[in-house]
Amino acid sequence: MTSLPVPDPDRIEAARQRLRDVWACRPVDHIPVFIRISGRSGYTRRDIINSDELQYQVNRANLERSLRVLPDDYLPYARVWFGYMTLATMFGLPVEWSDDPDQAPGVGHPLITDMDQVYNLKLPTDDAGLMADNLRVQRMFAERFPSWVCLTGFDLGGPLNTCRDLVETNLFYLAFVDQPEAMHHLLDLVTDVQIRGYAAGVEAAGGLDRMTCVDMGQIWAPEGHKGFVSDDVCATLSPEMFETFSKPYNSRLYARWPGGLLHNCGPHPAVDCYLDHAPPINGLNCSFRYTRPWFQRLRSAFAGRGLVQVMFDNGESAGEMLAGFREMMEIFAPDVVALPMPIVNDSWSDAEISDLYEAMREVGREYAANMRWRTGPVR
């Protein structure tokens, strides 16, 4: 097997510095464009999840292609992925696949059908369920990939997401009102497990400096901003419910790994609460399709305070992605940086990917020129 092409270290450092500056709202020549090449090399999702070697080979193939066709902004990474429900499997829920081998796995049935059951749950071992698989492959990636390839964390969801997997759906929402003490008990336990899971993942990667962030985010987060919590459940909660059942438990994770991002594909009824975790966080990772109607609200909530990472993750065409990025610029500038993340697959040619990057970078230049940057001394 041939060696991976080694990127210019100065280019890597320049891309990292551009992100550090953007996160600090300092001037840059263009808003970074991070195209994620997410090919599967002809394998199904189930094939890849069921083979450690295929996880490595597919990540390696995407790395090689990204290094070949993506210039300025690309920062190499590899991603272990066994599904979104690792923490639920640690409590004993089995993995369930559909008949479609390209559909992501899930959990087939709830563990909790009566909230009194939460008081009988035991703290699982650190390598229970799918966590053992995540840790094994993360260690393999840390050993096989060069040190300049960052590793993502595991897709652990957030405390509330795991509770949704564990608890029967109707009971889950009723418990917020009818049995809040039991829900808080479960959230406390799940948060303990997630903290231990993140810590184990950091150790398996060889340290936080090797990682993009502590969870699934593929865009490298600057030093001191590695926190990341997925909270898609908050798309269904009022701001008051978010303050009560999401923020306190997310904040326990951010207290251990300060700063960083909250993930919610959208919608965003609690958007005004996002940044004010304890400690405060830096912004949002989201989906263009489900967040687009909330752009104006996001601008108001994040102006001068936070950034937005926007994934084009629903099969958008090149034209739709380019138009979407321009729309983001027109809404968010000059007060908020919105970083685009187009996701492409094996059906895209090298030329199509390069052309998309070049076109989006031109919008990124215009966007940067329209921003109200901080120009005083860095504190």
Side-chain angles (χ1 to χ4, degrees):
M1 183 182 297
T2 59
S3 299
L4 284 168
V6 180
D8 179 357
D10 291 339
R11 187 195 68 76
I12 293 292
E13 179 55 28
R16 289 189 174 188
Q17 187 57 49
R18 191 176 295 112
L19 281 171
R20 292 186 191 106
D21 288 339
V22 160
W23 279 61
C25 203
R26 309 284 297 180
V28 293
D29 64 336
H30 70 276
I31 302 301
V33 176
F34 192 95
I35 293 182
R36 175 186 167 193
I37 297 179
S38 186
R40 297 187 195 156
S41 302
Y43 297 102
T44 68
R45 192 188 296 272
R46 189 182 304 185
D47 290 336
I48 296 166
I49 289 178
N50 286 337
S51 168
D52 294 0
E53 186 62 28
L54 279 183
Q55 289 227 23
Y56 171 74
Q57 294 294 344
V58 168
N59 270 275
R60 196 178 193 280
N62 289 330
L63 261 168
E64 289 178 326
R65 192 176 189 205
S66 299
L67 289 166
R68 185 175 71 250
V69 303
L70 297 175
D72 301 31
D73 297 319
Y74 176 68
L75 287 170
Y77 74 94
R79 182 193 187 203
V80 173
W81 199 76
F82 283 92
Y84 68 88
M85 65 299 174
T86 288
L87 293 187
T89 70
M90 293 178 73
F91 285 93
L93 283 177
V95 176
E96 178 160 306
W97 289 91
S98 74
D99 294 334
D100 181 358
D102 277 321
Q103 184 175 339
V107 291
H109 59 81
L111 184 68
I112 304 297
T113 56
D114 183 322
M115 287 305 292
D116 288 341
Q117 293 173 295
V118 304
Y119 298 107
N120 296 321
L121 291 178
K122 305 298 183 186
L123 193 69
T125 61
D126 290 349
D127 61 351
L130 287 175
M131 184 57 75
D133 301 297
N134 281 280
L135 292 170
R136 181 184 65 252
V137 177
Q138 187 80 314
R139 294 187 186 103
M140 180 181 76
F141 280 14
E143 179 180 347
R144 289 200 193 179
F145 283 116
S147 60
W148 45 265
V149 176
C150 283
L151 306 179
T152 75
F154 310 140
D155 188 358
L156 297 190
L160 206 56
N161 284 21
T162 297
C163 291
R164 176 200 56 195
D165 292 334
L166 294 173
V167 181
E168 189 275 326
T169 301
N170 290 334
L171 178 62
F172 173 74
Y173 285 101
L174 288 171
F176 293 142
V177 176
D178 295 340
Q179 294 174 280
E181 298 86 357
M183 182 60 75
H184 284 298
H185 178 88
L186 180 59
L187 281 162
D188 261 325
L189 179 62
V190 165
T191 305
D192 288 341
V193 176
Q194 185 155 353
I195 287 171
R196 291 167 60 173
Y198 278 164
V202 170
E203 182 179 7
L208 195 57
D209 289 343
R210 179 78 191 268
M211 302 181 73
T212 57
C213 65
V214 296
D215 202 277
M216 65 168 182
Q218 295 95 44
I219 302 178
W220 180 82
E223 302 85 351
H225 305 286
K226 299 290 189 181
F228 192 107
V229 177
S230 291
D231 194 0
D232 286 296
V233 172
C234 78
T236 65
L237 299 184
S238 68
E240 293 76 19
M241 287 292 188
F242 179 84
E243 291 281 354
T244 302
F245 293 102
S246 278
K247 187 186 289 187
Y249 303 97
N250 297 345
S251 290
R252 286 184 56 195
L253 295 162
Y254 292 124
R256 180 73 179 269
W257 294 279
L261 304 175
L262 182 79
H263 167 80
N264 172 23
C265 287
H268 304 278
V271 61
D272 294 320
C273 310
Y274 284 171
L275 298 180
D276 297 322
H277 282 76
I281 63 171
N282 301 96
L284 174 70
N285 172 273
C286 60
S287 169
F288 177 79
R289 173 181 290 184
Y290 304 113
T291 300
R292 186 182 184 187
W294 293 81
F295 279 171
Q296 291 288 356
R297 283 280 303 277
L298 267 171
R299 176 183 176 173
S300 297
F302 280 30
R305 304 177 59 210
L307 58 87
V308 188
Q309 287 180 356
V310 182
M311 299 180 292
F312 291 92
D313 57 348
N314 282 277
E316 290 91 350
S317 68
E320 288 169 334
M321 293 181 191
L322 187 60
F325 187 28
R326 177 162 292 280
E327 180 181 346
M328 288 155 55
M329 174 187 69
E330 290 170 351
I331 291 175
F332 286 114
D335 299 309
V336 177
V337 171
L339 298 168
M341 184 172 150
I343 299 178
V344 301
N345 57 29
D346 291 325
S347 69
W348 290 62
S349 70
D350 287 358
E352 287 172 329
I353 296 171
S354 296
D355 288 348
L356 174 63
Y357 174 79
E358 294 296 337
M360 294 195 82
R361 184 171 58 177
E362 286 307 305
V363 176
R365 292 186 189 281
E366 184 179 351
Y367 194 157
N370 290 334
M371 277 296 296
R372 185 182 296 116
W373 300 110
R374 296 173 188 159
T375 56
V378 179
R379 296 181 181 178

